[in-house]
Amino acid sequence: MKYGYSGRMANLNGTATREIFKLLSRPEIISFAGGLPASECLPKKEIQEIAAGLLGGKDAMRILQYGTSEGFDDFRDALAHYVGKVGIHGVKRENTLVISGGQNGIDLMLKTLIDKGDTVLVEDPTYLAFLQILNSYEGRAVGVKSNADGLDIADLTEKIKKHKPKLLYVVPTFSNPTGKTYSAANRKAIAETTAKYGVTVLEDDPYGKLRFSGESVPALKSFDTCGNIVYITSFSKLISPGLRTGVAVGESEIIRKMTICKQGTDLHTSNLSQLIVKEYMEKYLDAHIKDSLPLYRERKQAMIDAIDRYMPYLKHTDPDGGLFIFGRLPGGLNATQMLPQAVERNVAYIQGSVFYAGGGHEDTIRLNYSNANTEQIERGIKSLAKLIEEKIGGRK
Ligand SMILES: Cc1ncc(COP(=O)(O)O)c(C=O)c1O
């Protein structure tokens, strides 16, 4: 069959993501490739109990019937209160939209704002799927430089003046892929700069609550003085990605536009998921996060220790939370070319180049530590180090 694909399909290739999912299904693989929360932290028993109670009680009919695109009012009110914990205050119901995970929020934001050829500024490197979704709307990503503090404000200003972007997209806390966090001063500077030039900002925060060391930093949105920042967060890494639930917070005007887009995309987020998350938030969430953090801390530390022991030549980030370490291979090794050889030795990672707006940076890799136990992390890093040393001719 010859299908008449749209022109925008020419820009789309899901290769990197598809490869990840193929690898995950092979049991012998030690995968540092995905971005999944630790399966030990998925609260099966509590969700089972909540779901049974909801479906056996007075909410059964509102769960089984269609809902509104904005989400349930009582859940939206709870979410308006919830984002106060990251310093976003004064949020009303009309400032919230229940989304089917952060991915849905990104898609709705881009659907709302982006015409063919529009420019979006992103931190370089940034979340791969953001670049893919932007491609599907035929937008153009331009990378902004960053430093230890966050975004390079001089570069941001220059690129705003040069490209007149529709949007700036950032993951300021425990970024995917680097694990880096922007300082409060840097967030304030980003808020001021984008407000000054009238640039809309999408702050994506799926990992902020997964902090296992250091002091928490208020959301970028908490520095918003003119309503140009939309904040999205999700329960995927905190409760369960399968529930597909999160929230977008912004001025009621743009939330309304995103809601209209959501009607066409998925009509509304699953009613059952919304009410499960609402009840889970009330009863368990804070304690669950507290109980989960030691496991993430332990696995991150196991990976850092293994890197220090077996590949001290790898320049890498050392995050205080989230799921990822980002590294630069020695001797200009090409991570894309090395990946099949690593997989032959049963270790998977993601080449860093796919996270850059303009590609390149072929010697970078993203390592995820949440989905392997400490013994597998040690074995996987050791095996990767052996491969690297074979390629560069010994330890350098
Ligand atoms: C930065 C970032 N944004 C959004 C998402 C999407 O997550 P979800 O749609 O499950 O909330 C992810 C998932 O890994 C992510 O890393």
Side-chain angles (χ1 to χ4, degrees):
M1 170 69 189
K2 192 169 169 11
Y3 297 103
Y5 293 119
S6 67
R8 65 185 169 274
M9 289 310 292
N11 297 326
L12 299 182
N13 71 67
T15 327
T17 323
R18 268 208 308 277
E19 288 306 315
I20 299 166
F21 285 110
K22 260 196 257 161
L23 298 177
L24 288 178
S25 61
R26 270 178 48 191
E28 65 278 18
I29 282 273
I30 300 175
S31 178
F32 303 141
L36 284 65
S39 38
E40 293 85 344
C41 296
L42 301 179
K44 185 174 150 211
K45 191 173 123 295
E46 291 81 358
I47 302 281
Q48 250 171 12
E49 258 171 42
I50 294 174
L54 285 168
L55 291 167
K58 65 174 174 34
D59 281 315
M61 289 322 286
R62 74 164 174 154
I63 287 169
L64 296 178
Q65 198 43 279
Y66 281 118
T68 58
S69 296
E70 292 86 346
F72 286 131
D73 284 350
D74 48 355
F75 187 38
R76 293 170 76 200
D77 291 343
L79 292 167
H81 177 73
Y82 174 75
V83 296
K85 292 186 185 174
V86 289
I88 308 173
H89 299 295
V91 177
K92 299 198 173 67
R93 186 186 294 168
E94 62 265 28
N95 303 118
T96 65
L97 168 65
V98 177
I99 51 179
S100 304
Q103 199 84 343
N104 183 222
I106 292 170
D107 183 69
L108 296 175
M109 186 75 176
L110 294 179
K111 198 173 179 182
T112 301
L113 294 180
I114 299 303
D115 288 316
K116 183 175 180 174
D118 282 344
T119 298
V120 174
L121 297 183
V122 297
E123 179 182 355
D124 233 356
T126 194
Y127 178 44
L128 165 63
F130 179 87
L131 298 174
Q132 293 172 329
I133 301 170
L134 179 63
N135 250 336
S136 75
Y137 290 104
E138 299 176 272
R140 190 174 71 100
V142 172
V144 176
K145 290 183 202 152
S146 58
N147 50 42
D149 205 33
L151 280 192
D152 177 331
I153 300 297
D155 194 49
L156 172 66
T157 309
E158 195 187 309
K159 285 184 173 146
I160 289 176
K161 286 183 186 161
K162 182 167 172 201
H163 298 284
K164 311 262 179 302
K166 272 273 181 77
L167 181 71
L168 166 70
Y169 168 76
V170 279
V171 187
T173 312
F174 311 135
S175 136
N176 179 359
T178 67
K180 257 175 45 181
T181 292
Y182 303 178
S183 71
N186 190 257
R187 289 167 197 240
K188 189 162 182 281
I190 293 170
E192 282 168 3
T193 308
T194 52
K196 179 173 170 190
Y197 294 100
V199 177
T200 306
V201 180
L202 178 59
E203 175 181 18
D204 185 8
D205 183 24
Y207 303 109
K209 291 218 166 53
L210 284 185
R211 173 179 285 281
F212 40 71
S213 56
E215 291 296 307
S216 61
V217 188
L220 170 58
K221 170 108 186 113
S222 72
F223 298 97
D224 185 352
T225 52
C226 68
N228 67 320
I229 303 175
V230 173
Y231 172 86
I232 55 176
T233 189
S234 147
F235 295 97
S236 289
K237 317 292 169 165
L238 304 178
I239 306 177
S240 149
L243 292 176
R244 310 302 310 132
T245 305
V247 63
V249 175
E251 289 292 293
S252 55
E253 182 192 313
I254 190 160
I255 289 293
R256 182 78 207 118
K257 296 280 188 215
M258 289 169 76
T259 308
I260 293 166
C261 289
K262 189 169 168 72
Q263 285 166 5
T265 299
D266 63 351
L267 204 52
H268 63 77
T269 295
S270 152
N271 292 337
L272 181 59
S273 292
Q274 291 185 56
L275 294 189
I276 288 175
V277 170
K278 177 174 173 286
E279 192 168 332
Y280 193 88
M281 276 167 71
E282 288 159 5
K283 289 187 174 163
Y284 304 111
L285 186 59
D286 288 346
H288 175 64
I289 294 172
K290 203 160 160 255
D291 292 347
S292 303
L293 292 178
L295 184 90
Y296 287 98
R297 183 187 299 117
E298 177 185 61
R299 289 182 177 181
K300 194 265 330 211
Q301 202 51 49
M303 188 170 272
I304 294 285
D305 291 348
I307 290 172
D308 288 350
R309 199 169 319 129
Y310 299 114
M311 40 168 108
Y313 39 74
L314 187 88
K315 289 201 184 79
H316 62 85
T317 56
D318 184 355
D320 285 328
L323 305 185
F324 307 109
I325 291 171
F326 199 68
R328 193 170 288 279
L329 296 168
L333 270 183
N334 184 309
T336 309
Q337 284 169 7
M338 194 174 78
L339 183 58
Q341 294 154 14
V343 171
E344 258 171 46
R345 295 168 193 226
N346 293 330
V347 193
Y349 58 81
I350 302 203
Q351 67 272 37
S353 58
V354 294
F355 300 97
Y356 285 89
H361 303 266
E362 291 291 350
D363 56 350
T364 57
I365 58 171
R366 189 193 75 176
L367 297 167
N368 163 262
Y369 46 78
S370 58
N371 246 272
N373 62 37
T374 52
E375 181 276 322
Q376 290 168 321
I377 289 174
E378 159 103 11
R379 203 152 38 90
I381 295 291
K382 189 174 175 185
S383 160
L384 202 53
K386 192 158 177 289
L387 172 62
I388 292 171
E389 282 160 34
E390 281 171 22
K391 294 185 82 69
I392 60 174
R395 193 177 272 203
K396 301 241 157 121

